[in-house]
Amino acid sequence: AVNKSEPTLDADTEFYLYVLRGKKRSMDYDEFNQMAKASRVNEDHLFDKGIAKKVKGEDLIVVPSALERSDVVQRAGVDAIKGSSMIDWVHRLLRDYSERASVKLLDDYAQKSGIPADILLGIMRMISRYNLGDDEWRTATTFVRAYEELRGGKTLDSFT
């Protein structure tokens, strides 16, 4: 039975997780186009939000990690992560967690975004599961482990 109260993923988040599931952050335009269509999201929208970036002079699209996407923040003094999709909020949370390691950020971001904490945590678990071995994966994995240990639950790592 499907839990009717569980929110479905928005198109931006679906696209992002679809890319991570493919175990790579760069692709040619045709592959990018297929993923965008499969996720029902407009390509220009992804570029405008910084979820995807064109590599100049090449037929290559890159999907930056949370910390790459928010790197502009430090230099420009404004939030480079635009929008209010689930992945936008998770990226902000991961950025802030990398600067201030506090699992209390999950509740703060759930309240700010209106997205249930378990959904935000679930997206971070997916980022961790689709191990790309980059800064975003390390931050998400560290957060999930710290959160589960704080809550007294066993992590999968405790069984290995």
Side-chain angles (χ1 to χ4, degrees):
V2 174
N3 182 353
K4 299 285 186 201
S5 65
E6 185 174 313
T8 56
L9 293 177
D10 55 69
D12 293 357
T13 305
E14 185 178 326
F15 169 82
Y16 193 84
L17 293 176
Y18 190 49
V19 168
L20 293 189
R21 190 175 72 194
K23 299 283 189 194
K24 60 185 180 180
R25 290 193 178 276
S26 61
M27 66 208 73
D28 64 27
Y29 179 78
D30 288 340
E31 188 176 2
F32 168 72
N33 179 274
Q34 290 172 355
M35 287 185 179
K37 283 182 180 176
S39 302
R40 307 166 325 280
V41 65
N42 179 286
E43 294 173 13
D44 290 334
H45 168 80
L46 294 171
F47 292 128
D48 291 345
K49 288 184 65 181
I51 292 174
K53 293 183 177 189
K54 295 176 185 174
V55 177
K56 289 183 181 177
E58 295 184 47
D59 177 32
L60 197 63
I61 309 295
V62 174
V63 176
S65 73
L67 302 183
E68 291 168 330
R69 201 174 158 209
S70 64
D71 191 37
V72 185
V73 175
Q74 314 315 341
R75 288 180 266 132
V78 294
D79 196 340
I81 300 175
K82 303 172 191 167
S84 58
S85 70
M86 292 172 184
I87 199 62
D88 297 329
W89 285 104
V90 167
H91 278 175
R92 288 183 192 104
L93 196 160
L94 290 172
R95 174 199 61 208
D96 290 355
Y97 184 76
S98 73
E99 296 170 0
R100 178 174 58 101
S102 170
V103 294
K104 292 178 183 173
L105 287 169
L106 181 62
D107 292 331
D108 294 346
Y109 272 84
Q111 187 173 13
K112 284 183 206 176
S113 68
I115 301 167
D118 62 324
I119 299 299
L120 296 173
L121 185 63
I123 293 169
M124 284 190 282
R125 281 189 179 115
M126 296 305 293
I127 291 169
S128 180
R129 187 171 301 136
Y130 296 144
N131 178 357
L132 267 62
D134 58 12
D135 58 355
E136 180 178 86
W137 169 80
R138 281 187 291 280
T139 306
T141 301
T142 302
F143 183 95
V144 168
R145 286 179 184 156
Y147 183 84
E148 289 174 347
E149 286 171 12
L150 180 72
R151 296 293 184 254
K154 294 278 186 194
T155 63
L156 288 175
D157 292 339
S158 65
F159 293 100
T160 58

